[in-house]
Amino acid sequence: MVQAQIEPETVSVGRPALEGYLRVPEAPIGLVIFAHGAGSSHRSPRNNRVAEALGRRGIATLLFDLLTEEEALDRRNVFDIPLLSERLIEAVDWALSQPELAALPVGLFGSSTGAGAALVAAAHGPARFAAVVSRGGRPDLAGEALRSVRAPVLLIVGGLDHVVIDLNATAAEQLLCPNQTEIVPGATHLFEEPGTLDQVMDLAGTWFEKKFLQAGAGG
């Protein structure tokens, strides 16, 4: 499915009015909500590249900041997975209150600490989510919630990100839902090496597209 470039709409998400970008292609097949990690934001060129790639597959995306600027100054908040997952759940509620998004299957895309928050959010609403993707994430931070996740999970890790590979392997052992791990050769934690982010976009896009179409067909 080929889509033209979709200009993002600036939105205020949830009770804290968190700033974000919403992209909605024509006749979307699903919605992906991003949960990024420390040091990133909805303005991140990397995150926006991924969102644009998903949009070309007919997938709506919501990129937003899990913390206000003031909250982000306190490093403890960056690793407060219960707080981050609560904000993510609020973002889902906000998105599904929008008429153009209300009927869409929902996926979560987490990176770094955001992956832990995404998995906790998925565990709290097992029937709400069609898919989860973690990019260079810390799924281990979801702890016991991992065993309650029901949505299919894709874990993408850089081949040179050795510590995170081990953390993802440990987390995968705790998952009872369908899950898959993909190692991107030659990639470090941020997938800054030439071509590595393109592989992430292809893996994530294929995963979400397949799961959304399955959800739209009734499973």
Side-chain angles (χ1 to χ4, degrees), residues 32 34 50-59 61 109 201 204-205 208:
V32 170
F34 284 67
V50 176
E52 289 165 3
L54 293 176
R56 289 192 290 272
R57 290 177 179 259
I59 297 171
T61 57
F109 188 108
M201 293 188 294
F208 282 127

Side-chain angles (χ1 to χ4, degrees), residues 4-141:
Q5 181 82 0
I6 304 159
E7 290 301 318
E9 174 189 357
T10 301
V11 294
S12 296
V13 179
R15 289 178 299 170
L18 299 162
E19 187 174 348
Y21 290 149
L22 176 66
R23 292 175 171 87
V24 183
E26 185 177 351
I29 61 171
L31 167 68
V32 170
I33 298 178
F34 284 67
H36 55 72
S40 188
S41 79
H42 70 283
R43 297 186 181 91
S44 158
R46 185 178 298 107
N47 290 337
N48 279 278
R49 273 190 65 193
V50 176
E52 289 165 3
L54 293 176
R56 289 192 290 272
R57 290 177 179 259
I59 297 171
T61 57
L62 173 61
L63 270 170
F64 78 108
D65 295 334
L66 292 167
L67 300 170
T68 65
E69 290 185 8
E70 183 178 352
E71 289 171 336
L73 295 175
D74 186 341
R75 188 70 179 175
R76 291 171 298 182
N77 289 329
V78 173
F79 291 92
D80 188 339
I81 300 302
L83 171 63
L84 300 181
S85 62
E86 180 182 332
R87 293 287 172 81
L88 194 50
I89 291 168
E90 287 186 12
V92 175
D93 291 339
W94 176 89
L96 295 183
S97 72
Q98 310 302 307
E100 61 188 336
L101 306 174
L104 297 178
V106 178
L108 300 175
F109 188 108
S111 55
S112 192
T113 54
L119 288 161
V120 171
H124 277 272
R128 302 186 74 182
F129 302 102
V132 179
V133 172
S134 164
R135 172 187 65 81
R138 291 289 309 276
D140 55 297
L141 294 177

